[in-house]
Amino acid sequence: MQEAPVHLPSENLSDAILQQLKYGLGKDAAHATRTDWRLALSLAIRDRIVDPWFASTRTTYAKQGKRVYYLSMEFLIGRLLEDAAVNLGLMDEVTAFFDERGLDAKAVIADEPDAALGNGGLGRLAACFLESMSSLGCPAHGYGIRYEHGLFRQSFDDGRQVEAPEDWLSEPHAWEFERAEVEYRIGFGGHVAEENGQTRWYPGEAVLARAYDTPVIGWKGAWANTLRLWSARPEQIFDLSRFNAGDYYGAAHQEALARTISRVLYPDDTTDEGKRLRLKQEYFFTAASLHDILRRFDSEYDDLSLLPEKVAIQLNDTHPAIAGPELIRILHDERGLSFEQAVEIARGCLAYTNHTLLPEALERWSVGLMAHLLPRHMQIIERMDALHAEAHPDRHVRLIDHGDVHMGPLAFTTAHRVNGVSALHSELMKDTVFAELNRLHPGRIVNQTNGVTPRRWMLSANPRLSALITEAIGDGWVGDLEQLQQLEPLAEDAGFVEAFAKAKRANKADLAAYLGKEGTGVDPDAMFDVQIKRIHEYKRQHLNILQTIALWQEMKDDPKGDWVPTLKIFGGKAAPGYFFAKDIIRLINKVAEVVNRDPDTRHLLRVAYPANYNVSLAERLIPAAEVSQQISTAGKEASGTGNMKFALNGALTIGTLDGANVEIRELVGAENFFLFGMTAEEVVARRQVEGHAWQAISADPRLARALEAIRHGTFGHGFGGIVDNVSGPDYFLVSSDFTDYWRASRELDAAYRDPKAWTRKAILNVARSGWFSSDRTIRGYMADIWDAKALSVD
Ligand code: CJB
């Protein structure tokens, strides 16, 4: 019998995988490696996405639906294979296929490199949003950069963070389609000229942006959208005359420079060269995306005034904020609309999400750099600034201030909606960074509390709990997470409580075995207490480790005391140039070394810090967690999304009233949440108190003793900076919040001593977390910001 050609995928998944192995990869089953199997499986599954993908595109054209474009420098998508298999309902078949061959489906799936095209919460949010937009049938494209190297790989050397380049593209990437024909020329520099009353920009150099498409399939496979990532290429591959003259480096120079633009995620921007490259990256992907958006619009409509009705462009933070001036430039300079019309249309399309109030993270570019790289855009920004000043002469908001272009105000004034990412954060935006702009444009700021996709963060990551939930209430919760409310009465059902505790225990045993491989002996019956996120002073991992040191000291004083055996887990990376955060990492690792080998306490307290925290590691840690550490200085964490994943998976939060913790506590109930610390208002007042850190330390002997131990070298040397900081300026109020954190931590221990009551609280956390689905968040964006409608394939 003749085999089906590979482009006609077999109806039967097993046959399709074997066909892909043979015809797609040229491998024979007898010699296939794990990677071959993974690629064959991925290609077979990708084949099954193509039809719904095409059907979704055809439907959007046929119904002339409004399209949403999500522009983001980061998409922290992690592994894609399981997402796709789960959403297509193929997991059982996949497992059976590999079982039959004596292979472990999980290991095959885990062979996929973790696509780390993002730093943390902002990038992961974009990935959850892509999945939710597809699950809801919202016609959308994600636009970003196809970084050759994602976020660095972290290892530890004597406790210190060491960074190595990440190399996810070193193996074939099964999910993308290269679109050689979709290529745009992106200019930089050069000059601006006035010609016959029109302004023209003549860039001095240019690179090409080439599209790579990844289909994103939604829940139950009903709809698929596209993630389109841009890769930079030189206009001229290499300089043949230089090559022929023997100047091989010189011949390749232009190519290397062009490709640098999409080489690495977030290059170091502490040097001028770094800054220049970052701004180039931002313009590169934003301009390519806008060209693409307008090309698609032009293929359907010939009236530019329809743009806001047909196109919604969401700016994920200010990184793509140059979209405002670029769209105005195209509409005015190239399409001949008046400047005012161009501004109005651009504003009708654009909306901006703010993700942080930290002043150091609000982007600014020097006027000199902007004028050099993007001379026409600088003129447009100047004109916008002048228009704004003219319209509001008594106000002081400037887009350009002290020689810098301020991207926050620029994004605000070129957008029709600006949103924060939790209720508290959106209110603080109105009171602080955007207070003046909010007065001028009341109603422009709206809130859209973040969410997470339940497909990845429950169904895939926590199969045991998912099965239990489905058994209890059916599987409707996967597409409608608020159905988890039906679990509430089961918190009083002894059988369910027991089954829930059993599932958590099994997840902990899995994690203990994994951490065991990493060299940390772990008791699966200990309380698993987890803090995973980027390392930052405002997230206060140092508060957690100080409390851990104090706990260890008390345990040592009284090893026979009634302690709750605890495993403290940390995970996270520090920015390579953030030396204070790197000291915190080293301190945690050094405390782990001392504590884990202490014969007096090692049965009571362990500290684990698995290296290279990423999406896949989060998928292991969160289902096994019992305590979720969300302890940022109030007013600093815009939202948090890890906090939602933990609550959804039945961990109890110990946290401050910050970001979305506030909403989590309201929903899960104050009695199922361990609150401590100052409020955002109290934080501001406390900073005004002279010597606040010293006062706090003098009043709390536990804190004084823990700091003393660090200073005296119990954990090695070189931690004076941390001690001095929390005893002196202590901007993030580690010392002032310590005593209350200790109290809440001991209350947590007390609650853990009653396993049934604890499990009931955990169940209520799950039952009441349905609102944190990113499906709810995307519905909010569609209704309040994009005015977009969900479609379905007929
Ligand atoms: N966030 O991950 C980043 N990167 C930034 O540059 C600024 C903010 C985070 O975004 C998340 C998604 O909105 C928030 O949950 C988180 O609080 C914020 O720090």
Side-chain angles (χ1 to χ4, degrees):
M1 200 186 88
Q2 216 180 335
E3 307 262 9
V6 77
H7 56 274
L8 287 177
S10 168
E11 284 293 311
N12 176 295
L13 184 67
S14 301
D15 293 346
I17 298 169
L18 293 169
Q19 282 168 3
Q20 278 294 1
L21 187 71
K22 188 170 176 187
Y23 297 103
L25 302 170
K27 273 290 175 95
D28 155 12
H31 299 108
T33 62
R34 183 182 284 174
T35 299
D36 292 328
W37 283 119
R38 192 251 303 164
L39 288 169
L41 172 63
S42 303
L43 292 171
I45 288 184
R46 192 183 72 174
D47 284 344
R48 280 161 162 68
I49 298 178
V50 171
D51 283 324
W53 190 28
F54 286 1
S56 305
T57 306
R58 275 196 305 272
T59 303
T60 309
Y61 274 103
K63 300 194 175 163
Q64 302 210 312
K66 183 165 185 175
R67 288 187 165 84
V68 172
Y69 296 105
Y70 198 83
L71 269 59
S72 180
M73 281 285 270
E74 305 189 9
F75 287 94
L76 189 44
I77 46 186
R79 294 179 180 139
L80 295 178
L81 173 52
E82 193 168 355
D83 261 14
V86 162
N87 279 358
L88 289 167
L90 295 171
M91 272 312 280
D92 289 346
E93 275 179 76
V94 169
T95 309
F97 175 86
F98 287 109
D99 277 354
E100 264 172 39
R101 284 160 183 80
L103 294 165
D104 177 5
K106 271 193 178 161
V108 172
I109 286 171
D111 180 68
E112 183 177 358
D114 206 294
L117 310 184
N119 278 285
L122 176 151
R124 182 55 230 173
L125 184 77
C128 283
F129 279 7
L130 280 181
E131 199 274 350
S132 275
M133 289 190 285
S134 290
S135 290
L136 294 173
C138 170
H141 280 73
Y143 277 117
I145 298 179
R146 183 177 180 271
Y147 301 106
E148 229 174 279
H149 305 286
L151 185 60
F152 65 86
R153 220 171 274 173
Q154 177 196 55
S155 60
F156 298 131
D157 178 12
D158 195 24
R160 280 190 181 80
Q161 170 173 294
V162 177
E163 300 106 28
E166 184 280 344
D167 205 12
W168 71 298
L169 290 174
S170 66
E171 289 169 13
H173 179 45
W175 297 103
E176 68 184 7
F177 293 92
E178 181 172 358
R179 305 296 192 201
E181 77 287 7
V182 184
E183 211 167 57
Y184 299 103
R185 185 172 187 272
I186 309 298
F188 297 99
H191 67 280
V192 176
E194 295 293 328
E195 287 164 6
N196 314 320
Q198 273 209 314
T199 312
R200 306 289 303 179
W201 172 33
Y202 292 98
E205 53 172 313
V207 298
L208 299 175
R210 175 173 289 189
Y212 287 75
D213 287 350
T214 300
V216 180
I217 187 83
W219 175 231
K220 294 201 166 159
W223 189 270
N225 286 320
T226 306
L227 171 61
R228 175 161 279 189
L229 299 179
W230 301 105
S231 181
R233 297 159 49 80
E235 277 199 296
Q236 189 193 9
I237 287 298
F238 68 102
D239 186 331
L240 189 58
S241 55
R242 280 182 151 184
F243 189 90
N244 287 340
D247 176 9
Y248 304 127
Y249 281 115
H253 182 71
Q254 278 308 319
E255 181 185 6
L257 223 55
R259 291 198 195 272
T260 303
I261 291 182
S262 52
R263 181 94 67 203
V264 192
L265 167 80
Y266 268 52
D268 182 8
D269 63 0
T270 52
T271 62
D272 282 347
E273 258 322 289
K275 277 210 165 61
R276 210 176 118 88
L277 178 56
R278 180 74 196 281
L279 181 56
K280 272 188 153 179
Q281 287 187 321
E282 294 185 355
Y283 179 66
F284 164 78
F285 99 95
T286 304
S289 307
L290 286 177
H291 279 302
D292 207 42
I293 292 167
L294 286 171
R295 179 195 51 76
R296 198 171 294 114
F297 176 85
D298 288 338
S299 75
E300 284 188 277
Y301 310 100
D302 51 16
D303 177 0
L304 285 170
S305 69
L306 285 176
L307 259 177
E309 208 180 292
K310 296 296 174 191
V311 167
I313 303 172
Q314 190 67 33
L315 309 178
N316 196 24
D317 217 290
T318 53
H319 315 146
I322 198 68
E326 171 69 356
L327 189 50
I328 293 166
R329 184 188 72 78
I330 296 171
L331 295 176
H332 178 55
D333 295 0
E334 295 184 0
R335 303 292 187 96
L337 300 187
S338 74
F339 192 79
E340 290 70 21
Q341 259 181 319
V343 171
E344 200 181 307
I345 290 177
R347 192 177 289 132
C349 297
L350 294 168
Y352 151 55
T353 306
N354 173 278
H355 292 271
T356 181
L357 303 174
L358 294 181
E360 67 272 25
L362 296 172
E363 282 192 301
R364 293 181 197 111
W365 298 108
S366 81
V367 168
L369 176 62
M370 185 71 86
H372 178 72
L373 267 187
L374 300 169
R376 178 56 182 146
H377 300 76
M378 192 60 238
Q379 290 179 343
I380 290 170
I381 295 167
E382 278 165 355
R383 190 156 168 192
M384 298 278 301
D385 189 43
L387 282 175
H388 204 266
E390 212 175 281
H392 310 285
D394 51 337
R395 302 290 182 169
H396 305 289
V397 177
R398 300 305 303 258
L399 310 186
I400 304 165
D401 204 13
H402 291 90
D404 282 336
V405 178
H406 288 240
M407 301 305 269
L410 175 66
F412 193 112
T413 48
T414 48
H416 69 287
R417 285 283 180 281
V418 176
N419 77 285
V421 289
S422 74
L424 175 69
H425 168 63
S426 297
E427 286 313 304
L428 290 173
M429 277 168 70
K430 293 181 197 163
D431 296 341
T432 60
V433 272
F434 295 123
E436 182 104 356
L437 282 164
N438 180 50
R439 271 193 294 278
L440 298 179
H441 306 284
R444 191 173 290 185
I445 297 182
V446 294
N447 178 56
Q448 298 297 340
T449 299
N450 285 341
V452 302
T453 167
R455 272 72 65 183
R456 177 168 300 214
W457 294 108
M458 177 64 100
L459 190 60
S460 300
N462 199 344
R464 290 191 183 95
L465 184 54
S466 297
L468 188 63
I469 295 172
T470 297
E471 199 184 305
I473 63 170
D475 67 359
W477 61 271
V478 182
D480 175 13
L481 200 61
E482 301 219 32
Q483 289 187 21
L484 291 180
Q485 274 167 7
Q486 295 166 28
L487 293 174
E488 267 206 35
L490 295 171
E492 301 303 325
D493 176 317
F496 188 80
V497 170
E498 198 188 319
F500 187 99
K502 216 172 129 195
K504 181 64 86 179
R505 175 66 173 67
N507 290 344
K508 288 170 66 184
D510 281 356
L511 179 61
Y514 174 80
L515 291 175
K517 270 191 246 148
E518 304 259 304
T520 316
V522 163
D523 169 12
D525 286 316
M527 179 170 81
F528 280 26
D529 169 316
V530 188
Q531 186 173 19
I532 42 175
K533 46 185 82 239
R534 284 301 283 254
I535 310 299
H536 203 293
E537 284 164 273
Y538 86 78
K539 296 178 188 279
R540 299 201 294 193
Q541 283 89 355
H542 47 337
L543 174 59
N544 189 350
I545 200 68
L546 269 170
Q547 195 267 140
T548 307
I549 293 169
L551 180 62
W552 170 66
Q553 290 173 324
E554 299 227 340
M555 286 173 163
K556 242 177 129 48
D557 290 346
D558 179 16
K560 300 253 169 323
D562 181 23
W563 302 106
V564 172
T566 299
L567 171 66
K568 285 264 175 194
I569 302 175
F570 292 84
K573 299 177 182 178
Y578 188 176
F579 297 109
F580 195 94
K582 291 175 117 172
D583 282 347
I584 295 176
I585 292 180
R586 196 166 67 83
L587 178 60
I588 298 171
N589 279 322
K590 288 289 161 184
V591 170
E593 270 178 28
V594 172
V595 167
N596 293 348
R597 64 163 186 250
D598 184 339
D600 298 339
T601 58
R602 58 199 309 271
H603 58 296
L604 295 174
L605 181 66
R606 296 285 177 109
V607 179
Y609 193 161
N612 202 36
Y613 173 64
N614 59 14
V615 177
S616 301
L617 186 52
E619 290 170 24
R620 280 182 195 277
L621 293 171
I622 291 168
E626 292 172 292
V627 175
S628 157
Q629 295 277 346
Q630 308 299 337
I631 61 175
S632 50
T633 314
K636 293 295 176 193
E637 188 69 88
S639 163
T641 45
N643 47 3
M644 301 168 185
K645 296 167 196 164
F646 279 109
L648 179 62
N649 281 273
L652 271 52
T653 307
I654 178 167
T656 48
L657 282 180
D658 200 15
N661 292 354
V662 177
E663 288 147 279
I664 293 177
R665 181 167 172 267
E666 272 165 19
L667 282 168
V668 305
E671 65 288 4
N672 303 310
F673 184 110
F674 293 83
L675 179 69
F676 78 96
M678 285 173 274
T679 62
E681 270 180 22
E682 288 164 352
V683 159
V684 174
R686 178 75 186 171
R687 283 205 190 102
Q688 306 308 313
V689 175
E690 181 86 21
H692 53 80
W694 262 117
Q695 280 182 18
I697 296 167
S698 317
D700 191 333
R702 286 191 186 96
L703 172 58
R705 189 179 173 203
L707 288 168
E708 210 42 42
I710 302 176
R711 197 186 282 290
H712 277 100
T714 307
F715 312 104
H717 295 281
F719 300 119
I722 295 178
V723 176
D724 289 348
N725 187 288
V726 301
S727 324
D730 197 19
Y731 181 78
F732 295 100
L733 300 168
V734 167
S735 292
S736 295
D737 264 347
F738 180 91
T739 308
D740 205 28
Y741 180 47
W742 175 273
R743 176 206 45 83
S745 302
R746 300 297 72 80
E747 283 178 15
L748 200 89
D749 292 348
Y752 196 76
R753 287 199 181 90
D754 181 347
K756 291 219 167 70
W758 178 277
T759 303
R760 274 197 295 276
K761 286 178 188 296
I763 294 170
L764 290 177
N765 265 266
V766 177
R768 297 172 180 175
S769 289
W771 190 74
F772 294 105
S773 166
S774 45
D775 297 347
R776 185 266 312 151
T777 315
I778 288 299
R779 282 202 187 91
Y781 277 84
M782 289 171 74
D784 307 340
I785 300 180
W786 302 334
D787 192 23
K789 301 270 172 301
L791 298 179
S792 59
V793 174
D794 296 325

